[in-house]
Amino acid sequence: KSEDEQHTWDYVVSSYTPSLSALLRCSDMAENRSRLKPTMLLVTQPATPRSGLSPLKYVREESARLRALLPSQDNTFCEHDEARLETVLAAVRRHPWVHFACHGSQNLHDPTQSAFELFDGPLTLSALMGTVSENAELAFLSA
């Protein structure tokens, strides 16, 4: 890449809101939440045990830094073999913030089958759609 080349991803961080009503609900609840410290689910998968998925070099360091910043006992940390489908789905319901540091897969024919690659299998978007916390605020994807 030459120094003169510029790309959108050099300047933009992608964000997503599923609907205007979801955005408004977050805005309406922001005043009430400003006094509360949100909790977070951190899911890290440094080495997915399936062929074709290479180890993610900096995921353990990313996890350590987040744990240092957010040491609260109210947070949930699922790392490597702890990042299993059932555990993660149960924890997603309890936290307004989620952070996934893992491989992702995209399904062009059925986007709801795109997934986060966890220790024991893919966590699909369709599985997540019905499990999100009622006070969901932030999802950070580091893939």
Side-chain angles (χ1 to χ4, degrees):
K1 173 179 164 181
S2 74
E3 289 183 32
D4 295 334
E5 280 186 68
Q6 294 184 358
H7 301 283
T8 302
W9 59 82
D10 292 328
Y11 303 98
V12 176
V13 174
S14 178
S15 296
Y16 173 75
T17 300
S19 67
L20 184 55
S21 61
L23 181 62
L24 290 172
R25 187 172 56 248
C26 288
S27 177
D28 291 343
M29 296 170 65
E31 186 174 314
N32 293 335
R33 282 192 222 138
S34 65
R35 293 169 294 195
L36 302 174
K37 184 176 180 182
T39 61
M40 182 182 72
L41 165 63
L42 173 63
V43 178
T44 59
Q45 193 53 247
T48 309
R50 282 186 301 290
S51 65
L53 298 175
S54 60
L56 298 173
K57 189 174 180 178
Y58 297 105
V59 166
R60 290 189 195 276
E61 181 181 335
E62 183 175 341
S63 175
R65 288 180 181 213
L66 285 167
R67 285 175 183 247
L69 289 170
L70 302 163
S72 170
Q73 61 195 17
D74 297 328
N75 295 316
T76 301
F77 303 103
C78 297
E79 187 165 271
H80 193 51
D81 61 340
E82 298 168 341
R84 296 177 178 272
L85 293 165
E86 187 176 320
T87 304
V88 171
L89 280 171
V92 163
R93 292 182 180 100
R94 299 190 315 262
H95 298 282
W97 291 5
V98 295
H99 182 111
F100 285 89
C102 58
H103 280 287
S105 61
Q106 186 175 19
N107 186 318
L108 297 176
H109 300 290
D110 184 356
T112 66
Q113 295 306 301
S114 296
F116 300 104
E117 299 296 333
L118 301 184
F119 187 80
D120 61 341
L123 174 58
T124 64
L125 294 181
S126 63
L128 278 171
M129 291 167 102
T131 60
V132 176
S133 168
E134 285 194 23
N135 63 346
E137 282 185 356
L138 174 70
F140 188 88
L141 314 174
S142 174

